[in-house]
Amino acid sequence: MNNTPAGRVIPRMNGLGFGGDWNPEQWPQHVWDEDLRLMREAHVNLVTVGVFSWAYLEPTPGQYEFGWLDTVLDKCLAAGVAVDLATATASPPPWLGHRWPESLPVTDDGTIWTYGARQQYCPSSSAYRERAWALTERLVSRYADHDAVVMWHVGNEYGAHTPACWCDTSAEAFRDWLAKRYDTIDDLNTAWSTAFWSQRFSDYAEVIPPRRTPYFPNPTQQLDFKRFSSDTLLELFKAERDIIRAGSPSDKPITTNFMRFFPHADYWDWARAEDVVSDDWYPDLADPLSHLEGAAGADLMRSLGDGRPWLLMEQAVSAINWRSVNPAKSGGAYRRWSMQQVARGADAVLHFQWRASIGGAEKWHSGMLPHAGPRTRTWREVVALGAELDGLADVAGATTPADIAIVLDWPSWWALELDSRPSTRLSMVRILRSWYEPLWRRGYSVDFAHPESDLSEYRLVLVPQLYSVTDHGAQRLVDAAQAGTTVAVGYFSGAVDEQDRVRSGGYPAPWTDLLGIWVEEYRPLLPGEAVPLQATDDGAAGASASEWTEHVHAESAEVVLSYVGGDIDGCPAVTRRSLPSGSAAWYVSAGLDQSTLDDLLLRIADESGSTPILVEAPPVDVEVAMRQTDQQRYLFLLNHGGTAVPVSVDDGTGCAWSRVDDGTPVADRITLDAGDVVVLSTARERMVDPA
Ligand code: GAL
Ligand code: ZN
């Protein structure tokens, strides 16, 4: 149970943030005044300025022009619009690549990426670093005490386009990084299993990044290069952060915007390095369950910040411009998805971008203020949402206690999805989502957790996919189970250590005692292949496995589902071991069909003593979320479906809810219109414990 105390994450702001990236340098000055007037009309109180302004702040190396930004910030202050000031280092001007070509990134096959788009820098380049840090220093010394500035935005979406660089400078930095991780070259040889294929190094000088090779590059080399690349980008963030910390008041928090389930940066490390977590979310409108990703991503952001509120730094009001087809958001999705993020911990709803551009690569990306101006549906929805968030000001700082945690680890994700595995069909995010889905539907609050964190505070810890685990991480799960937490482990977990070396002796070696089983052989399935499953209690009719099966032996566990037919006919597929602490340890060895997985996880959650937010399961497509402060509890109800449905609001406390928008009391049931969102609140003093 996460019990982080409630508290505001942007100390100099009241209420929830609303606004977006404002790029005044794209417009003549008279437009700035119109912008600020319209911002006030839309209840905008926070804008991010300067993300892509480098070329306008430093037109040639060392020659700075801050006059226009002085004007912008002064105008913001006068208009009462707070500023999240960017360090402007996300997109170097052409002069950097022109004058210092070695600052350009190089791909694994030696291709040089040149300027003309954005993020074209080698993270290890000293020219990039020197120029970026010099600019950051200037910005901090000039604006740290400006009253418009309430927080700092370092870089932008680190790694989004250039997650790594394979150049010679990067190779040298990679060797330095490795030399810190492995004392001697022989330690590296052992860790990388270089006895295989004659890959043994005689000297550190021979070590290179995983460039193009005739066949699979060494897996541990690939894994360490991913670690190195995440660390190197993080080093860039930290360097700018430290420059800001040295010169800026401590109540102006520092962030950089994440990208949800982004594969190239270990966000647990990153989140620890920032004052507040912020995130960008661009749902795929072709995915009918994009709201599920909306929920899971928001829960991840809340969890990365250790339960504290986070900021939705970017989203689109309507269309984006970078998928193959980019539909408009319709049917109230903009409001509902925005509210969903608030429901799950966001204390700001910000956008890319304030005013839609008329030139450049993103002119067909929607803005809060569209090309057609304020006489538009988009604008009306923006203004309405701004007003609604104003009315929810007291939600700022509220937190969400959770009984359940899902374990997520970036290095394990990287290792799982390298080449040369038993199956390339396994996707960590897809597996996590399939486990998250039934809990979300039932309305459990769910955190994500690092495998090496203290997991014993939760009633239930799910490990849907953790291919690789450290000794410490493996022990954490055992400790939690011993302390009374129920645990459930999914297939192909605990298979290797952090160097991608197999933990032998029967999989998943670190947990065979805990789970009371051992696995003889992994048996991935071909596309289209499915294996029927049978329940020991004759339930689960029609259950089947696809994608993955295992040859499991149950020792001290009871068999809940078993395989039917083939080599592993009658062998356990799902097992449950009762633990002395009173909890249970479950193992799921197969890619269960979604409905069997749903039933199983709801049973496990229920048995674990976890409490869903509402006593009665909400109707299909209705999402429930809870936030609380010391004074109030807020119940968010979101109808993602196309029909009106009644929802019971009984949360088991007997409390009296009322609508936040108009104060109407809600006794026990409320009808939620198609696509609608309703927020209820109750004073915490009025909570009546039924016990
Ligand atoms: C983000 C980026 C923004 C903008 C947006 C468009 O990745 O940070 O600058 O490009 O995407 O959706
Ligand atoms: Zn490089």
Coordinates of all heavy atoms in Angstrom, one line a residue, residues 526-556:
L526 N 3.8 -21.7 -32.0 CA 3.8 -21.1 -33.3 C 2.6 -20.2 -33.4 O 1.5 -20.4 -32.8 CB 3.8 -22.1 -34.4 CG 5.1 -23.0 -34.5 CD1 4.9 -24.2 -35.4 CD2 6.3 -22.1 -35.0
P527 N 2.6 -19.2 -34.3 CA 1.4 -18.4 -34.6 C 0.3 -19.3 -35.0 O 0.4 -20.2 -35.7 CB 1.9 -17.5 -35.7 CG 3.3 -17.4 -35.7 CD 3.8 -18.7 -35.1
G528 N -0.9 -19.0 -34.4 CA -2.1 -19.8 -34.7 C -2.2 -21.1 -33.9 O -3.3 -21.7 -33.9
E529 N -1.2 -21.5 -33.2 CA -1.2 -22.7 -32.4 C -1.8 -22.4 -31.0 O -1.6 -21.3 -30.5 CB 0.2 -23.2 -32.2 CG 0.4 -24.7 -32.1 CD 1.8 -25.1 -31.8 OE1 2.8 -24.3 -32.1 OE2 2.0 -26.2 -31.3
A530 N -2.7 -23.3 -30.5 CA -3.2 -23.2 -29.2 C -3.3 -24.5 -28.5 O -3.5 -25.5 -29.2 CB -4.6 -22.5 -29.3
V531 N -3.1 -24.5 -27.2 CA -3.2 -25.8 -26.4 C -4.4 -25.7 -25.5 O -4.4 -24.7 -24.7 CB -1.9 -26.0 -25.7 CG1 -2.0 -27.2 -24.8 CG2 -0.7 -26.1 -26.6
P532 N -5.3 -26.6 -25.5 CA -6.4 -26.6 -24.5 C -5.9 -26.8 -23.1 O -4.9 -27.5 -22.9 CB -7.3 -27.7 -25.0 CG -6.7 -28.3 -26.2 CD -5.3 -27.8 -26.4
L533 N -6.7 -26.2 -22.2 CA -6.3 -26.3 -20.8 C -7.5 -26.8 -20.0 O -8.7 -26.5 -20.4 CB -5.9 -24.9 -20.2 CG -4.8 -24.2 -20.9 CD1 -4.6 -22.8 -20.3 CD2 -3.5 -25.0 -20.6
Q534 N -7.3 -27.5 -18.9 CA -8.4 -28.0 -18.1 C -8.2 -27.6 -16.7 O -7.1 -27.6 -16.2 CB -8.3 -29.6 -18.2 CG -9.5 -30.2 -17.7 CD -9.5 -31.7 -18.0 OE1 -8.4 -32.3 -18.1 NE2 -10.6 -32.4 -18.0
A535 N -9.3 -27.2 -16.1 CA -9.2 -26.8 -14.7 C -9.4 -28.1 -13.8 O -10.2 -28.9 -14.1 CB -10.3 -25.8 -14.4
T536 N -8.6 -28.1 -12.7 CA -8.7 -29.2 -11.7 C -10.1 -29.3 -11.2 O -10.7 -30.4 -10.9 CB -7.7 -29.0 -10.6 OG1 -6.4 -28.8 -11.2 CG2 -7.6 -30.2 -9.7
D537 N -10.8 -28.1 -11.0 CA -12.1 -28.1 -10.4 C -13.2 -28.2 -11.5 O -14.4 -27.9 -11.3 CB -12.3 -26.9 -9.5 CG -12.3 -25.6 -10.3 OD1 -12.1 -25.7 -11.5 OD2 -12.4 -24.5 -9.7
D538 N -12.8 -28.5 -12.8 CA -13.7 -28.6 -13.9 C -14.3 -27.2 -14.3 O -15.1 -27.2 -15.2 CB -14.8 -29.5 -13.6 CG -14.3 -31.0 -13.8 OD1 -13.3 -31.2 -14.4 OD2 -14.9 -31.9 -13.1
G539 N -13.8 -26.1 -13.7 CA -14.2 -24.8 -14.2 C -13.5 -24.4 -15.5 O -12.9 -25.3 -16.1
A540 N -13.4 -23.1 -15.8 CA -12.6 -22.6 -16.9 C -12.8 -23.3 -18.2 O -11.9 -23.6 -18.9 CB -11.1 -22.7 -16.5
A541 N -14.1 -23.6 -18.5 CA -14.4 -24.2 -19.8 C -13.9 -23.4 -20.9 O -14.0 -22.2 -20.9 CB -15.9 -24.4 -19.9
G542 N -13.3 -24.1 -21.9 CA -12.8 -23.4 -23.1 C -11.5 -22.7 -22.9 O -11.0 -22.0 -23.8
A543 N -10.8 -22.9 -21.8 CA -9.5 -22.2 -21.6 C -8.5 -22.8 -22.5 O -8.5 -24.0 -22.8 CB -9.1 -22.5 -20.1
S544 N -7.6 -21.9 -22.9 CA -6.5 -22.4 -23.8 C -5.3 -21.5 -23.7 O -5.4 -20.4 -23.1 CB -7.0 -22.4 -25.3 OG -7.1 -21.0 -25.7
A545 N -4.2 -22.0 -24.2 CA -2.9 -21.2 -24.1 C -2.5 -21.0 -25.6 O -2.6 -21.9 -26.4 CB -1.9 -22.0 -23.4
S546 N -2.0 -19.8 -25.8 CA -1.3 -19.5 -27.1 C 0.0 -18.8 -26.8 O 0.2 -18.5 -25.6 CB -2.2 -18.7 -28.0 OG -2.5 -17.4 -27.3
E547 N 0.8 -18.7 -27.8 CA 2.1 -18.0 -27.7 C 3.2 -18.8 -26.8 O 4.3 -18.9 -27.3 CB 1.9 -16.6 -27.0 CG 3.1 -15.7 -27.1 CD 2.8 -14.3 -26.7 OE1 2.4 -13.6 -27.7 OE2 3.0 -13.9 -25.6
W548 N 2.8 -19.3 -25.7 CA 3.8 -19.9 -24.8 C 3.2 -21.0 -23.9 O 2.1 -20.8 -23.4 CB 4.3 -18.7 -23.9 CG 5.6 -19.1 -23.2 CD1 5.7 -19.6 -21.9 CD2 6.9 -18.9 -23.6 NE1 7.0 -19.7 -21.5 CE2 7.8 -19.3 -22.6 CE3 7.5 -18.4 -24.8 CZ2 9.2 -19.3 -22.7 CZ3 8.9 -18.4 -24.9 CH2 9.7 -18.8 -23.8
T549 N 4.0 -22.0 -23.7 CA 3.7 -23.1 -22.7 C 5.0 -23.5 -22.1 O 6.1 -23.2 -22.6 CB 2.9 -24.3 -23.4 OG1 3.8 -24.9 -24.4 CG2 1.6 -23.9 -24.1
E550 N 4.9 -24.3 -21.0 CA 6.1 -24.8 -20.4 C 5.8 -26.2 -19.8 O 4.7 -26.5 -19.5 CB 6.5 -23.9 -19.2 CG 6.9 -22.5 -19.7 CD 7.2 -21.5 -18.5 OE1 7.1 -21.9 -17.3 OE2 7.6 -20.3 -18.8
H551 N 6.9 -27.0 -19.7 CA 6.7 -28.3 -19.1 C 7.0 -28.1 -17.6 O 8.2 -28.0 -17.2 CB 7.7 -29.2 -19.8 CG 7.6 -30.6 -19.3 ND1 8.3 -31.7 -19.8 CD2 6.8 -31.2 -18.3 CE1 8.0 -32.8 -19.1 NE2 7.1 -32.5 -18.2
V552 N 6.0 -28.0 -16.8 CA 6.1 -27.7 -15.4 C 5.9 -29.0 -14.6 O 5.1 -29.8 -14.9 CB 4.9 -26.7 -15.0 CG1 5.0 -26.3 -13.6 CG2 5.0 -25.5 -15.9
H553 N 6.7 -29.0 -13.5 CA 6.5 -30.1 -12.5 C 6.0 -29.4 -11.2 O 6.7 -28.5 -10.7 CB 7.8 -30.8 -12.2 CG 8.3 -31.5 -13.4 ND1 8.0 -32.8 -13.8 CD2 9.1 -31.1 -14.4 CE1 8.6 -33.2 -14.9 NE2 9.3 -32.1 -15.3
A554 N 4.9 -29.9 -10.6 CA 4.4 -29.3 -9.4 C 5.0 -30.1 -8.2 O 5.0 -31.4 -8.3 CB 2.9 -29.3 -9.3
E555 N 5.7 -29.5 -7.3 CA 6.2 -30.2 -6.1 C 5.4 -30.0 -4.9 O 4.7 -30.9 -4.4 CB 7.7 -29.7 -5.9 CG 8.6 -29.8 -7.1 CD 9.4 -31.0 -7.0 OE1 10.3 -31.1 -6.1 OE2 9.3 -32.0 -7.8
S556 N 5.3 -28.7 -4.4 CA 4.5 -28.4 -3.2 C 3.4 -27.4 -3.6 O 3.0 -26.7 -2.7 CB 5.4 -27.9 -2.1 OG 6.1 -26.8 -2.6

